[in-house]
């Protein structure tokens, strides 16, 4: 996209404004860090536009307090007090289950993931949010807990102007094909390569 101009203009019968304002399905995937960080950056922009935001974390432990959660919920409180920005909801899908699967059985985790997806489906039908961040949602699909085909069909037929961003490694090919914008995070260097662990303000 040189100078922000599209490389091609499709013959789809839409005006420039209609094409510019259509709802997007966005996927952040790949092995490197930054996928969730980029999605939460989109949430900050959405808040500034006054959009209702719904964040749904599928894999990170419910006990893990990430910095973006604190910041976005604080912005949600600013909206409630002053009307500035947009409302923010942050949901952890499941009772503390994580990718390490240390708590509960796989059956428990799978059902929690399915119920999380059912709740998102209900909200999409109601047009509850303008931006949905489905953080680490590629994993329940990869593990077979949530059907990829159902996800793609539901998102393809979502009503209104609802943007959805999905993060996580190993995004299903069907999801990638259906998405409007796909970014793959690849590693060039990482501090862990030289024995450094995650640190405050960088990883959380």
């Amino acid at each position: 996209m040189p100078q922000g101009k599209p490389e091609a203009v499709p013959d789809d019968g839409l005006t420039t404004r209609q094409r510019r304002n259509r709802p997007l399905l966005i996927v952040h995937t790949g092995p490197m860090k930054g996928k969730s960080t980029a999605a939460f950056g989109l949430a900050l922009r959405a808040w500034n536009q006054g959009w209702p935001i719904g964040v749904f974390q599928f894999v990170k432990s419910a006990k893990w307090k990430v910095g973006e959660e604190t910041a976005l919920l604080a912005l949600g409180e600013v909206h409630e007090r002053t009307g500035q920005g947009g409302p923010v909801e942050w949901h952890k899908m499941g009772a503390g289950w994580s990718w390490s699967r240390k708590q509960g059985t796989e059956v428990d985790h799978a059902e929690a993931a399915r119920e999380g997806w059912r709740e998102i489906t209900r909200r999409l039908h109601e047009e509850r949010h303008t931006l949905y961040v489905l953080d680490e949602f590629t994993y329940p699909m990869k593990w077979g807990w949530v059907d990829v085909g159902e996800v793609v069909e539901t998102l393809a037929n979502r009503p209104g102007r609802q943007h959805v961003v999905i993060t996580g490694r190993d995004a299903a090919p069907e999801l990638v094909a259906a998405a409007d914008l796909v970014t793959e995070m690849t590693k060039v260097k990482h501090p862990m390569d030289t024995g450094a662990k995650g640190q405050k303000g960088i990883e959380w």
Side-chain angles (χ1 to χ4, degrees):
M1 280 180 51
Q3 299 181 352
K5 296 180 181 179
E7 296 178 356
V9 178
D11 184 17
D12 53 14
L14 299 177
T15 66
T16 300
R17 180 182 295 273
Q18 288 172 326
R19 198 177 300 113
R20 182 176 189 178
N21 291 322
R22 64 191 176 90
L24 298 178
L25 172 56
I26 301 168
V27 174
H28 296 168
T29 192
M32 186 55 167
K33 74 187 303 302
K35 298 178 286 294
S36 298
T37 301
F40 296 142
L42 284 176
L44 289 175
R45 292 178 180 173
W47 181 87
N48 187 59
Q49 295 298 327
W51 293 359
I53 300 162
V55 178
F56 304 87
Q57 284 190 295
F58 274 85
V59 173
K60 292 186 176 72
S61 170
K63 297 180 180 179
W64 185 17
K65 301 296 183 183
V66 297
E68 293 94 341
E69 176 185 0
T70 302
L72 282 166
L73 288 178
L75 288 174
E77 292 176 0
V78 169
H79 171 75
E80 291 177 3
R81 290 198 315 269
T82 70
Q84 182 180 0
V88 178
E89 292 187 32
W90 192 293
H91 301 279
K92 294 181 174 71
M93 315 311 291
W97 55 280
S98 71
W99 63 269
S100 60
R101 309 190 194 183
K102 291 180 179 178
Q103 300 183 26
T105 67
E106 183 164 326
V107 172
D108 296 332
H109 301 330
E111 180 52 35
R114 284 191 289 269
E115 178 52 39
W117 169 241
R118 285 193 289 266
E119 175 61 24
I120 290 165
T121 299
R122 288 190 286 268
R123 289 167 180 254
L124 287 166
H125 180 72
E126 297 168 359
E127 300 183 48
R128 185 88 64 88
H129 308 287
T130 303
L131 177 68
Y132 296 73
V133 178
L134 310 188
D135 189 38
E136 312 282 15
F137 189 44
T138 61
Y139 298 106
M141 287 185 276
K142 176 182 178 180
W143 296 330
W145 297 349
V146 177
D147 183 73
V148 177
E150 178 187 334
V151 170
V152 169
E153 182 179 0
T154 298
L155 295 179
N157 294 299
R158 67 192 187 278
R161 186 167 180 261
Q162 301 181 92
H163 301 282
V164 179
V165 54
I166 295 173
T167 75
R169 298 186 181 200
D170 303 319
E174 303 95 315
L175 180 65
V176 170
D180 303 289
L181 190 164
V182 179
T183 298
E184 183 172 6
M185 306 290 186
T186 58
K187 188 180 80 169
V188 177
K189 287 184 177 182
H190 194 291
M192 290 183 68
D193 298 337
T194 55
K197 293 185 177 181
Q199 57 177 296
K200 294 179 181 180
I202 303 298
E203 270 74 33
W204 71 90

